[in-house]
Amino acid sequence: MNTPNTGSSVNRTRWLTLIGTIITQFALGSVYTWSLFNGQLSMKLDTSISQVAFSFGLLSLGLALASSVAGKLQERFGVRKVTMAAGVMMAVGLMLTSQADNLFMLYLSAGLLVGLADGAGYLMTLSNCVKWFPERKGVISACAIGAYGLGSLGFKFICSYLLSVYSLETTFMIWGGMAMSMIVIGALLMKDAPAQQTAGYKTSEKRDYSLAESMRLPQYWMLALMFLTACMSGLYVIGVAKDIGESMVHLSAQTAANAVTIIAIANLSGRLVLGVLSDKVARIRVITLAQVVSLAGMSILLFSHMNESSFFIAIACVAFSFGGTITVYPSLVSDFFGLNNLTKNYGVIYLGFGIGSVMGSLIASLFGGFTVTFSLIMALLVISLLMSATIRMPHKLAEVKKALQHA
């Protein structure tokens, strides 16, 4: 009998998959350095920064769309091939961006191509990795999504250095080559997780819901609205933090720019703290905590006369909550609807990331100023908080109904 060997082989495979996922996520997170390039691209294309920055909105939308179909691709081709293809596609997108000489070309390359590549790799590798570690989903999510966050911080220094030494075009080429190499190396270490056996865990009464079954349940849409709200508040505030500091708090451009560092630290802290906490406390309660923290931050932004300290505390609260929510959510969705169909079930909910990224900016541009957008986010956060306090898992709800029938 070679059971011990088989066990150690599986253990080795899953740890290698985790290492590969962390390397891949670090490279995929590099897209969050995008604001570094807005100024130079605006000069090169002779257009406004806001028009150039719209490419990042398209990138976020592409990321969300690709994430929602990545499960289908994984079923057909396997995690390794899809991840490698995502790495090549990301490099092609960045290399085409280096040659873009008009806005349409920029939107196509930096927006759609890079966004689709990033999304194809992000959610699929994360879900696959979580499936390998059903007993510590929160910690594994925190490691993978933490690496994604660290990638944005690490590549901020890498890309800043490259821009100081090389031309804009060469920087995009080197960035594309580096990201592709890391993603391909990461992919080679990964293997597809086996189908999950729920017996043997505390969740033995649960079952796996297909995407069609999940979408027929009210809990699915409650979770989707909560996720959309968290993404809208996080992405909007993160995107305009520097501008809020300058126009609402009257900080100097240099002081307001410190918001970027505060956000990066708070975002990463949220991912690690709430990710680890989610293995010890019911995950929906962790989401409730994140919502309360976000509400505190939004209340400061809306109702107080901010100074430098309160402004930094407010954006830190929102960034902490956002980072924690997107870390806990994959495991939360698997708690509700099972692990086996996680990539598909979370994929549709993850569309909220793309919709949220566009919604905040759209409302701000339609109605003018920050206050209307902050007010809407505040209202959605209150609704989300009520939902997280009252939502019940499908199998728990079924048990309650059964008990009432027998009573």
Side-chain angles (χ1 to χ4, degrees):
M1 294 291 286
N2 57 355
T3 311
N5 284 342
T6 308
S8 66
S9 166
V10 166
N11 212 28
R12 183 171 170 272
T13 302
R14 69 180 193 158
W15 285 105
L16 281 174
T17 299
L18 174 62
I19 293 164
T21 304
I22 287 170
I23 294 168
T24 298
Q25 292 280 343
F26 188 90
L28 291 172
S30 66
V31 296
Y32 282 87
T33 59
W34 192 253
S35 59
L36 292 174
F37 301 93
N38 285 341
Q40 287 196 38
L41 281 167
S42 147
M43 284 163 63
K44 179 186 174 183
L45 304 178
D46 192 24
T47 186
S48 69
I49 283 184
S50 59
Q51 283 186 305
V52 169
F54 182 65
S55 57
F56 187 73
L58 284 175
L59 188 153
S60 301
L61 198 58
L63 196 160
L65 288 169
S67 294
S68 66
V69 298
K72 291 264 186 203
L73 293 172
Q74 185 186 357
E75 272 181 11
R76 185 157 181 195
F77 302 107
V79 70
R80 187 177 285 178
K81 285 181 183 171
V82 178
T83 305
M84 287 169 84
V88 173
M89 190 173 166
M90 187 168 168
V92 170
L94 288 169
M95 286 167 186
L96 285 174
T97 302
S98 74
Q99 305 304 312
D101 54 7
N102 58 64
L103 274 176
F104 177 74
M105 183 70 178
L106 181 72
Y107 292 162
L108 196 65
S109 56
L112 288 176
L113 261 182
V114 175
L116 290 170
D118 210 79
Y122 167 72
L123 184 57
M124 178 192 63
T125 57
L126 167 65
S127 303
N128 183 66
C129 194
V130 167
K131 284 182 202 171
W132 274 110
F133 295 87
E135 77 286 4
R136 50 178 84 142
K137 294 185 283 189
V139 172
I140 296 303
S141 286
C143 288
I145 298 178
Y148 192 82
L150 271 176
S152 68
L153 208 56
F155 270 88
K156 181 190 170 193
F157 295 109
I158 293 167
C159 291
S160 295
Y161 171 75
L162 291 173
L163 281 170
S164 70
V165 177
Y166 301 105
S167 67
L168 178 68
E169 291 77 11
T170 308
T171 299
F172 276 124
M173 299 287 277
I174 296 171
W175 174 16
M178 281 180 73
M180 181 179 74
S181 304
M182 290 177 76
I183 293 166
V184 169
I185 289 166
L188 291 170
L189 295 173
M190 291 178 208
K191 278 203 174 165
D192 287 280
Q196 297 301 311
Q197 300 296 316
T198 48
Y201 292 103
K202 285 183 279 188
T203 55
S204 56
E205 71 274 47
K206 292 183 193 177
R207 70 181 183 87
D208 284 292
Y209 290 81
S210 68
L211 178 58
E213 289 172 328
S214 300
M215 288 175 83
R216 284 197 286 270
L217 297 169
Q219 291 96 326
Y220 191 81
W221 299 107
M222 289 166 83
L223 289 177
L225 181 65
M226 286 189 266
F227 187 74
L228 169 68
T229 303
C231 289
M232 183 181 166
S233 59
L235 292 167
Y236 178 68
V237 172
I238 288 167
V240 296
K242 183 171 176 283
D243 308 299
I244 298 168
E246 286 180 52
S247 63
M248 289 180 77
V249 197
H250 310 297
L251 301 175
S252 69
Q254 198 174 358
T255 308
N258 291 332
V260 177
T261 310
I262 300 285
I263 283 167
I265 294 165
N267 195 341
L268 191 58
S269 304
R271 291 166 193 241
L272 298 173
V273 172
L274 296 186
V276 172
L277 187 65
S278 74
D279 278 340
K280 300 176 173 21
V281 181
R283 287 187 181 92
I284 194 67
R285 295 290 75 87
V286 177
I287 294 298
T288 306
L289 172 64
Q291 289 164 341
V292 170
V293 172
S294 191
L295 265 171
M298 291 307 300
S299 300
I300 295 170
L301 289 172
L302 254 181
F303 304 122
S304 74
H305 294 291
M306 285 183 287
N307 56 30
E308 187 181 329
S309 302
S310 59
F311 163 64
F312 286 140
I313 289 167
I315 59 165
C317 284
V318 176
F320 180 90
S321 170
F322 170 64
T325 299
I326 61 171
T327 301
V328 174
Y329 241 78
S331 305
L332 180 70
V333 172
S334 76
D335 287 346
F336 272 74
F337 310 112
L339 262 174
N340 284 323
N341 299 313
L342 175 60
T343 312
K344 289 182 195 166
N345 285 333
Y346 184 41
V348 174
I349 288 175
Y350 197 78
L351 284 171
F353 183 93
I355 298 164
S357 72
V358 175
M359 243 173 95
S361 309
L362 199 63
I363 289 157
S365 60
L366 284 174
F367 298 102
F370 302 119
T371 314
V372 175
T373 317
F374 289 165
S375 303
L376 176 66
I377 289 169
M378 191 87 177
L380 285 171
L381 276 169
V382 171
I383 294 166
S384 294
L385 185 59
L386 289 170
M387 283 183 171
S388 74
T390 54
I391 194 171
R392 295 289 177 268
M393 288 191 193
H395 67 278
K396 296 268 192 224
L397 211 56
E399 285 169 19
V400 170
K401 282 180 183 172
K402 211 178 279 181
L404 286 171
Q405 283 169 358
H406 290 301

